[in-house]
Amino acid sequence: MSGVISYIVRHLLSETPFVITNTGGIIAACILWHRAPKASLCLILVCAYKLANLILYPLTWWCVLKFGGQNGDSFLRSAFSFFWYIPDTAFLVLTFVAVYIGRGQPNTALEPTPTSPGVSTKT
């Protein structure tokens, strides 16, 4: 079991910039929640998914290697690679949704109101 833990830790250390970026994304989404709650929720889901993926990938890959992947079973390795990246499509879809959600709605918060100083109400 210590071999699995050290393998996961080595993998996470090699992915430190990605871990920091995803953690920063979650923090930024929490800070900016009031400005764009739907986009923030999508961003939190995307970053949390990728962080979970960073932890599960080495564990799952270690299991593949332990239960037949080291014996040259290329089918097992190919199947793992294929099926592992299918959920990453959810990552991309949520990323696209986070970028474009609410873009079709006018942002009235930035438009001047008639009672704002310096705005003429005469037409």
Side-chain angles (χ1 to χ4, degrees):
M1 188 64 169
S2 66
V4 176
I5 294 171
S6 66
Y7 184 70
I8 291 172
V9 169
R10 282 194 319 262
H11 178 74
L12 288 176
L13 287 175
S14 69
E15 298 288 342
T16 300
F18 205 57
V19 171
I20 292 170
T21 303
N22 281 300
T23 304
I26 291 172
I27 292 168
C30 290
I31 291 171
L32 299 172
W33 184 273
H34 68 282
R35 292 180 71 190
K38 291 178 185 177
S40 295
L41 176 64
C42 288
L43 182 62
I44 289 171
L45 290 174
V46 166
C47 292
Y49 167 77
K50 290 310 281 183
L51 285 173
N53 193 17
L54 282 171
I55 294 168
L56 290 176
Y57 180 81
L59 177 65
T60 309
W61 182 244
W62 182 83
C63 290
V64 166
L65 293 177
K66 183 163 176 75
F67 298 113
Q70 288 180 339
N71 298 333
D73 189 354
S74 62
F75 175 76
L76 185 61
R77 287 177 178 223
S78 297
F80 172 79
S81 295
F82 178 77
F83 286 109
W84 185 260
Y85 289 107
I86 288 176
D88 272 354
T89 57
F91 163 73
L92 287 174
V93 168
L94 280 173
T95 302
F96 294 149
V97 169
V99 168
Y100 291 109
I101 198 163
R103 292 282 177 122
Q105 303 164 353
N107 190 353
T108 57
L110 298 178
E111 295 177 9
T113 59
T115 58
S116 295
V119 175
S120 173
T121 57
K122 297 179 183 179
T123 56

